[in-house]
């Protein structure tokens, strides 16, 4: 069996966790707060959260919750999105320094300049963007619904897709859409999962199923291996983290190789203890996601510090783009 990786490492004993978790739940109840956690958060936070999931799922929870406060255990753009969708609620982020290399790869000014060079184009922005970028966007997408969002746009309409070049290339491939221009941004963690990682792990685990996040730098090489018959198509899937969770719960495979940030492994292993989930790259950890620690979450619930503010005009414009995405509905064929 593969050794347990840092994705499952805990900073507390079982007794310490139960004491901490009880206090988190008590404070959340007292504040009327809902705790949301992204799939890449540390295990304790995933386990204590009211809702854990991918960005599309958490966007919907943020839009629908009747809680007075939203405590977002994720990165800054996610908490901004929650605030955009719930402007009258208090949204707390336990560490405002928890950023995102992908969101930082395009600014609102850069997007405005790009739009000026392509008048009439529809802008599709990944939700991994700042509120200011969303405000310049026609419709947002996530990794699980990006293909459906693109399919919703008239075929003769030019599309500007930003900021993730790997997700954009994947969407272009699965939709067959040629009139898409793609921004050259990337997530440093996913970009670091390389074709060499894929080759070595597949050689070491030749019978494993393969789950790949479309932000990964190895996505194209994995699908090239499938197209050339070097990998069986029936056990190779490109999925969002939410899609990976569904696949993990359903699989009967002995081993599954997982190409995404290693925080997801905690959830996959909890969903299916009979399958061995192996990271495609065991070093693929996002330091920004890991900045939200149990101690910081406790401090936030005790003090109410960490409020996220978005300029009302920016929020109103960004909200239209996010709500347009949500109106697409549940992903159909999604990014597969």
């Amino acid at each position: 069996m593969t050794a347990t990786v840092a994705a499952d490492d805990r900073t507390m004993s079982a007794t310490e966790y139960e004491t901490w978790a009880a206090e988190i739940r008590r404070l959340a109840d007292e504040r009327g707060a809902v705790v949301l956690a992204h799939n890449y958060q540390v295990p304790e936070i995933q386990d204590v959260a009211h809702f854990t999931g991918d960005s599309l799922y958490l966007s919907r929870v943020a839009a629908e919750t009747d809680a007075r406060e939203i405590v977002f255990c994720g990165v800054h753009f996610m908490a901004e999105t929650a605030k955009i969708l719930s402007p009258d609620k208090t949204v707390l982020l336990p560490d405002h320094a928890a950023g995102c290399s992908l969101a930082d790869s395009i600014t609102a000014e850069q997007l405005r300049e790009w739009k000026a060079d392509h008048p009439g184009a529809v802008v599709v922005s990944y939700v991994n963007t700042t509120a200011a970028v969303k405000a310049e966007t026609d419709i947002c997408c996530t990794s699980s619904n990006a293909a459906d969002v693109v399919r919703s746009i008239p075929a003769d309409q030019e599309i500007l897709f930003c900021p993730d070049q790997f997700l954009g290339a994947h969407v272009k491939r699965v939709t067959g859409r040629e009139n898409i221009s793609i921004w050259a941004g990337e997530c440093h963690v996913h970009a670091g999962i390389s074709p060499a990682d894929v080759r070595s792990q597949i050689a070491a685990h030749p019978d494993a199923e393969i789950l790949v996040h479309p932000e990964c730098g190895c996505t194209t090489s994995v699908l090239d291996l499938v197209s050339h018959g070097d990998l069986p198509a029936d056990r190779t899937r490109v999925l969002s983290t939410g899609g990976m969770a569904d696949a993990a719960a359903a699989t009967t495979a002995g081993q599954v190789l997982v190409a995404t940030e290693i925080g997801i492994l905690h959830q996959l292993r909890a969903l299916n203890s009979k399958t061995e989930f192996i990271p495609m790259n065991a070093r693929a950890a996002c330091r920004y996601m890991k900045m939200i620690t149990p101690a910081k979450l406790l401090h936030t619930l005790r003090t109410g510090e960490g409020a996220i503010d978005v300029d009302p005009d920016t929020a109103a414009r960004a909200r239209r783009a996010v709500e347009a995405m949500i109106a697409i509905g549940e992903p159909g064929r999604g990014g597969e």
Side-chain angles (χ1 to χ4, degrees):
M1 296 289 285
T2 298
T4 300
V5 299
D8 280 340
D9 282 355
R10 291 176 175 270
T11 58
M12 307 177 184
S13 67
T15 300
E16 289 170 333
Y17 170 77
E18 289 303 328
T19 301
W20 170 84
E23 181 66 357
I24 292 293
R25 296 184 185 111
R26 184 190 71 78
L27 289 168
D29 288 344
E30 186 178 279
R31 300 186 67 90
V34 62
V35 179
L36 308 182
H38 190 269
N39 290 323
Y40 298 156
Q41 290 292 296
V42 299
E44 292 94 339
I45 288 177
Q46 290 192 44
D47 290 347
V48 82
H50 295 102
F51 298 94
T52 300
D54 64 10
S55 53
L56 176 58
Y57 174 70
L58 296 177
S59 294
R60 290 191 166 123
V61 172
E64 296 167 3
T65 182
D66 57 2
R68 294 193 303 272
E69 291 185 347
I70 299 168
V71 181
F72 214 116
C73 299
V75 293
H76 197 275
F77 79 80
M78 296 181 179
E80 272 193 337
T81 303
K83 183 64 176 179
I84 288 165
L85 292 171
S86 301
D88 298 328
K89 297 184 185 301
T90 299
V91 177
L92 305 176
L93 178 65
D95 190 335
H96 279 219
C100 173
S101 59
L102 179 55
D104 288 344
S105 68
I106 188 168
T107 65
E109 182 178 1
Q110 287 173 320
L111 179 51
R112 283 191 293 269
E113 291 173 355
W114 198 26
K115 288 164 64 175
D117 291 336
H118 298 267
V122 174
V123 177
V124 177
S125 292
Y126 197 18
V127 292
N128 299 39
T129 46
T130 64
V133 167
K134 289 182 177 73
E136 298 292 335
T137 295
D138 294 300
I139 182 169
C140 288
C141 72
T142 71
S143 56
S144 60
N145 72 357
D148 288 331
V149 166
V150 166
R151 292 184 185 110
S152 76
I153 297 167
D156 61 350
Q157 189 89 44
E158 182 184 9
I159 295 174
L160 303 181
F161 189 99
C162 68
D164 189 86
Q165 61 183 312
F166 299 114
L167 177 60
H170 178 62
V171 169
K172 188 172 183 177
R173 179 169 46 237
V174 299
T175 62
R177 188 80 171 242
E178 290 300 323
N179 56 345
I180 302 180
S181 297
I182 301 169
W183 190 260
E186 64 182 28
C187 159
H188 73 286
V189 175
H190 283 107
I193 302 176
S194 69
D197 294 325
V198 173
R199 287 192 293 271
S200 63
Q201 288 288 55
I202 288 172
H205 310 282
D207 298 320
E209 288 186 355
I210 300 164
L211 304 180
V212 182
H213 195 283
E215 285 182 38
C216 286
C218 66
T219 304
T220 298
S221 63
V222 167
L223 293 175
D224 284 345
L225 289 171
V226 171
S227 67
H228 288 101
D230 297 319
L231 279 179
D234 62 351
R235 59 181 173 89
T236 305
R237 303 178 69 186
V238 179
L239 297 167
S240 70
T241 57
M244 288 181 180
D246 292 340
T251 189
T252 58
Q255 294 181 323
V256 176
L257 289 170
V258 182
T260 191
E261 206 273 353
I262 58 175
I264 189 68
L265 297 173
H266 172 68
Q267 185 179 161
L268 304 188
R269 290 164 177 165
L271 287 167
N272 185 343
S273 61
K274 295 181 180 179
T275 295
E276 182 185 11
F277 294 95
I278 305 163
M280 197 73 82
N281 180 332
R283 300 176 304 283
C286 176
R287 67 182 180 88
Y288 298 114
M289 283 286 182
K290 302 323 187 233
M291 290 173 76
I292 310 300
T293 63
K296 289 176 184 176
L297 174 57
L298 182 60
H299 178 79
T300 295
L301 284 168
R302 281 177 172 166
T303 65
E305 295 176 2
I308 290 287
D309 290 313
V310 180
D311 169 73
D313 178 63
T314 299
R317 293 163 57 209
R319 190 177 306 118
R320 288 193 289 270
V322 177
E323 289 177 343
M325 171 191 75
I326 292 174
I328 296 293
E330 294 291 338
R333 287 169 289 168
E336 292 186 67

